[in-house]
Amino acid sequence: MEEKRLTTQELIEEHKDLLLKFRKVEKLSIKATAIRLSEELECSVSKDVVFSAFKKLGINKLATNKISKVLIEDKTEQPEEITIDELIQSRIKASRVKRSKHRMHNRSLELPAEPIGFLVMGDPHIDNDGCDFAKLLEDIELTQKQEGVMAACVGDIQDNWIGRLQKLYANSSMKASDGWRLSKWMLSSLQWVAIVGGNHDSWSHAPGVDPLGWVAKECGVLCYAPDELRITLNWRGRPDLEPIVWVIRHDFRGRSWFHPTHGVHKEAMLDGRCHLLTAGHIHQWGQLTSEQRHERVTHSLRVRGYKRADAYAVEKGFYEQQFGESALVVIDPTVEGTGRINVYWDLKQGYEILSHMRDCFFMNQEE
């Protein structure tokens, strides 16, 4: 005899109470309800029939145990918004602070109105085994014996290898910490007027941290910037003497195989105010002196630096120059025209001339 099967409609009409009891009171699932109904009614009741019946009765979804509405009493004090006027004033203050920090790039110095020398040092790469340390030491010791000289550097004090270049540390005999010790020694050995950071120096930066800037300040460097300095040299007690505008960068934009000072001289032509521009970076040296408009004589210099046996230069096919690690810039503010600024690539010769100029100057002062 064939087993009786209830349809959805029969189940609802004849056994609605059981459906509600199993679902709403006993919280049975669809499968469990089908089993219980089959036992109670002694006939076959499928899950599909139970599901359809539950759906028509609107009880196909069981109520959850979650509390539907939770009220939270928040006793924390909400911060009061500042007024729009206060907000505007805070923006004015922030802008003022930002502009004040930016002034580090534009400095004005007052120097004695007498012949004075500036040793412009190229990239030292002082922690690189290829640094010509004997020449670096010779230049420093020679300068220490000379009166009336201040020093400047165009950056790349250290290698500071990062990223994929850190593998080069494996070939280095120097620890990174010793590189910083040598940097501090160098910046403590001379009277420094200016230092700018190079691309290698920037690799040691972290958010809000400039280690070279910190060391430069500790060593009493007068002017420091991580990229560019524009220094105006004024002459004490002589407002009649024209100030010298000196722009120092690690590099100036622009390259030409005709001359290593192409980018530097281009800036001299476009700037309209500067007299002396110095750079480094490409490990080549050169000088280009020219008269710009309004009788402004400009001196564009690129110093080579102290790095030797450069594997990167060999890889790229650059020839290694043998001179121009540094240069001596001698300024006599009392002279007009071409004799006002002179550049000497032989430091000993330059210091002899500077000493003679200073002797003559002070003798004339005593007369």
Side-chain angles (χ1 to χ4, degrees):
M1 185 175 181
E2 187 178 351
E3 186 180 14
K4 181 181 178 183
R5 292 178 177 273
L6 290 178
T7 65
T8 301
Q9 192 60 35
E10 289 174 340
L11 189 59
I12 294 173
E13 291 177 354
E14 299 174 12
H15 306 290
K16 180 179 178 180
D17 292 340
L18 277 177
L19 287 171
L20 294 175
K21 174 187 174 184
F22 293 153
R23 188 63 164 172
K24 304 189 78 174
V25 178
E26 298 185 20
K27 309 292 185 184
L28 296 183
S29 66
I30 294 172
K31 181 179 180 180
T33 301
I35 294 172
R36 287 287 300 277
L37 285 172
S38 297
E39 293 173 351
E40 291 279 344
L41 303 178
E42 297 181 351
C43 65
S44 178
V45 181
S46 69
K47 291 188 297 180
D48 293 338
V49 170
V50 173
F51 175 76
S52 298
F54 280 174
K55 193 171 183 181
K56 288 188 176 183
L57 293 173
I59 56 174
N60 56 313
K61 293 183 179 179
L62 280 172
T64 64
N65 293 326
K66 294 182 180 178
I67 300 173
S68 59
K69 293 183 180 180
V70 179
L71 298 178
I72 301 175
E73 184 179 359
D74 190 356
K75 293 185 178 181
T76 58
E77 293 185 7
Q78 298 296 325
E80 294 183 6
E81 284 190 341
I82 62 175
T83 66
I84 190 65
D85 289 338
E86 291 172 329
L87 183 59
I88 291 171
Q89 291 303 314
S90 72
R91 294 298 84 207
I92 293 174
K93 182 178 179 180
S95 175
R96 188 181 301 121
V97 170
K98 178 72 172 180
R99 294 198 308 273
S100 178
K101 288 182 178 179
H102 190 71
R103 291 191 190 104
M104 70 182 297
H105 302 282
N106 295 272
R107 307 295 295 275
S108 182
L109 301 179
E110 186 179 88
L111 298 175
E114 61 193 41
I116 190 168
F118 295 97
L119 171 66
V120 181
M121 302 181 74
D123 310 16
H125 290 281
I126 203 167
D127 58 343
N128 190 290
D129 288 350
C131 171
D132 190 347
F133 216 94
K135 176 60 176 172
L136 178 70
L137 185 60
E138 177 187 326
D139 289 353
I140 290 176
E141 290 180 343
L142 188 64
T143 304
Q144 288 173 335
K145 300 173 185 177
Q146 178 67 43
E147 292 183 357
V149 178
M150 302 182 77
C153 185
V154 295
D156 278 0
I157 307 296
Q158 298 183 49
D159 279 340
N160 284 320
W161 299 122
I162 59 167
R164 63 180 177 82
L165 297 175
Q166 284 183 327
K167 64 183 180 182
L168 297 177
Y169 269 131
N171 302 319
S172 176
S173 64
M174 181 177 293
K175 297 186 297 185
S177 58
D178 288 339
W180 283 108
R181 290 173 59 201
L182 282 175
S183 298
K184 188 173 182 181
W185 162 81
M186 189 181 82
L187 298 189
S188 302
S189 299
L190 299 172
Q191 184 181 5
W192 290 88
V193 63
I195 288 178
V196 292
N199 56 304
H200 283 254
D201 299 311
S202 68
W203 293 344
S204 67
H205 291 187
V209 179
D210 180 354
L212 178 58
W214 183 84
V215 173
K217 184 177 181 180
E218 286 290 301
C219 295
V221 177
L222 293 180
C223 305
Y224 168 78
D227 34 41
E228 178 183 277
L229 281 169
R230 304 177 69 86
I231 302 175
T232 301
L233 304 177
N234 299 293
W235 310 107
R236 185 176 305 137
R238 295 293 305 272
D240 57 308
L241 299 179
E242 181 187 8
I244 294 287
V245 178
W246 182 7
V247 184
I248 311 173
R249 287 187 61 88
H250 185 57
D251 192 22
F252 290 85
R253 293 177 63 87
R255 293 282 185 273
S256 170
W257 65 276
F258 287 104
H259 205 280
T261 63
H262 174 74
V264 192
H265 183 64
K266 181 181 72 172
E267 181 68 20
M269 297 175 65
L270 297 176
D271 183 275
R273 294 170 296 168
C274 56
H275 305 86
L276 176 63
L277 302 95
T278 53
H281 185 53
I282 63 174
H283 299 184
Q284 291 183 327
W285 66 281
Q287 173 188 355
L288 205 162
T289 300
S290 181
E291 181 178 342
Q292 311 295 342
R293 295 184 179 185
H294 313 300
E295 301 180 358
R296 181 173 55 94
V297 179
T298 60
H299 300 262
S300 304
L301 277 71
R302 191 182 290 277
V303 280
R304 181 200 177 282
Y306 294 86
K307 190 174 182 180
R308 300 285 180 186
D310 189 351
Y312 178 79
V314 174
E315 176 189 340
K316 299 300 181 183
F318 305 140
Y319 71 94
E320 184 172 284
Q321 297 182 337
Q322 300 304 310
F323 307 103
E325 299 90 352
S326 57
L328 177 66
V329 178
V330 175
I331 300 177
D332 186 346
T334 63
V335 175
E336 296 182 359
T338 56
R340 195 170 187 221
I341 300 176
N342 287 283
V343 180
Y344 301 93
W345 295 97
D346 184 319
L347 294 188
K348 291 182 180 180
Q349 181 188 62
Y351 285 145
E352 289 176 0
I353 294 173
L354 176 61
S355 296
H356 177 71
M357 292 173 63
R358 289 177 64 83
D359 289 344
C360 293
F361 176 83
F362 289 114
M363 287 176 59
N364 291 334
Q365 294 293 310
E366 293 174 357
E367 295 178 357

